[in-house]
Every structure is written in structure tokens, then in C-alpha cells.
């Protein structure tokens, strides 16, 4: 097993677990007083209800979003460069990127945010604006930095 899957929680990760064990309405209320958005905690709440709250189980949620990010990058690159070999190489680079791989096992919203960002951009490029808007909204409820992506999307639509 990967060593990262059985390391202890840091303070922020422990807070994520504690917050996600609350009810969905409590999660929303408590994130109003926090700097983080509630969507990741909702997903983690449901994940822990389904699979338990062991450290290795909770760390698989961001890893799942990391794998979804790799797939999304593949399709984004395939749309942009129309070459599946280069797209596969680019997706492989995302898979083993040390920064993204670190976030893939950190119990925070970073992998989820990256996935939503790439999917929103992919749908925007494919002119599927409703789907792009849905993922932009999901971005806004995932991380505060989403506003920096949201504004350029709005400018391009206008």
C-alpha cells in the first residue's frame, strides 16, 4: 500500500473529517464561518457514510478526483490537439505530476477543484455552455479561487 494512504492526518485534514461527520445543514452553517466552501465536505460526508471514516478510505476520495482529472485532461488535450498519443502523454504527465499527486492524497478540495476546472473548460470549448456553467457553479462551491476562473469565463461568454 502507498505510504501516503496510512499517514496520520494533519490539522486541516482532521478538521475536514470532523466537519464532514456533521449533518449536511451543520456543514453548511460551519463553513459559513470558515474560509473553505462546503461542497468537498458534502462529498466527504457521503463518502464516509458509504465506506467508513478510516484514514485510507477518506484519502481515496481526493485520489478518485485526481484520476478523474487525468481522464478529463486526456479529453481536453484530445479536443485541442486531435492526437490521442500526445493526449495520453499529457494525461500521464498529470497523473505523475508531484504537486498534483501530493494533492491527490491530501484530504482537501484541491483535486476536486482541479477536476471541476478542467471539465468546465472542456465543456466551454465544446460550446456546451449549460454543462460548463454547472461545473463553474460546482467550482464556486469547492474553493475560493474559483472566482479567478469564473471571471474569465464570464468575460469570454460576453
Amino acid at each position: 500500500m502507498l505510504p501516503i494512504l496510512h499517514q496520520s492526518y494533519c490539522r486541516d485534514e482532521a478538521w475536514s473529517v470532523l466537519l464532514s461527520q456533521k449533518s449536511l445543514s451543520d456543514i453548511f452553517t460551519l463553513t459559513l464561518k470558515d474560509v473553505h466552501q462546503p461542497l468537498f465536505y458534502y462529498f466527504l460526508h457521503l463518502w464516509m457514510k458509504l465506506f467508513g471514516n478510516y484514514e485510507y478510505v477518506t484519502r481515496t476520495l481526493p485520489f478518485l478526483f485526481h484520476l478523474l482529472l487525468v481522464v478529463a485532461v486526456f479529453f481536453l488535450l484530445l479536443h485541442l490537439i486531435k492526437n490521442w498519443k500526445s493526449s495520453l502523454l499529457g494525461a500521464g504527465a498529470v497523473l505523475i505530476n508531484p504537486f498534483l499527486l501530493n494533492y491527490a492524497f491530501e484530504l482537501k478540495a484541491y483535486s476536486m477543484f482541479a477536476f471541476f476546472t478542467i471539465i468546465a473548460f472542456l465543456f466551454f470549448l465544446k460550446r456546451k455552455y449549460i454543462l460548463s456553467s454547472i461545473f463553474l457553479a460546482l467550482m464556486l462551491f469547492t474553493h475560493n479561487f474559483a472566482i479567478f476562473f469564473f471571471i474569465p469565463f464570464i468575460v469570454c461568454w460576453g
Side-chain angles (χ1 to χ4, degrees), residues 9-131:
Y9 292 131
C10 71
R11 192 175 87 183
D12 284 349
E13 292 173 318
W15 171 248
S16 295
V17 171
L18 289 173
L19 182 61
S20 297
Q21 290 175 340
K22 307 278 185 197
S23 70
L24 296 178
S25 61
D26 286 344
I27 291 171
F28 181 76
T29 304
L30 290 169
T31 55
L32 288 175
K33 301 172 187 173
D34 195 15
V35 296
H36 299 290
Q37 302 299 326
L39 189 61
F40 178 75
Y41 301 118
Y42 289 154
F43 272 83
L44 186 57
H45 174 85
L46 296 173
W47 191 261
M48 290 189 311
K49 289 271 188 201
L50 290 172
F51 304 111
N53 62 354
Y54 302 106
E55 289 181 33
Y56 69 92
V57 171
T58 57
R59 289 186 190 280
T60 58
L61 178 63
F63 184 67
L64 173 67
F65 278 103
H66 178 71
L67 294 177
L68 291 172
L69 171 66
V70 170
V71 172
V73 166
F74 172 78
F75 285 111
L76 175 65
L77 291 173
L78 190 61
H79 178 77
L80 291 172
I81 59 179
K82 312 282 191 255
N83 184 323
W84 72 270
K85 289 180 183 177
S86 298
S87 301
L88 193 59
L89 186 63
V94 168
L95 178 66
I96 62 171
N97 180 298
F99 296 108
L100 294 174
L101 205 52
N102 185 44
Y103 289 143
F105 292 102
E106 193 168 318
L107 200 54
K108 300 303 286 177
Y110 306 128
S111 292
M112 178 188 274
F113 176 67
F115 169 68
F116 288 156
T117 304
I118 295 299
I119 288 294
F121 187 57
L122 176 62
F123 284 136
F124 180 79
L125 290 177
K126 290 186 170 217
R127 292 184 165 75
K128 296 183 180 188
Y129 298 125
I130 293 175
L131 289 172

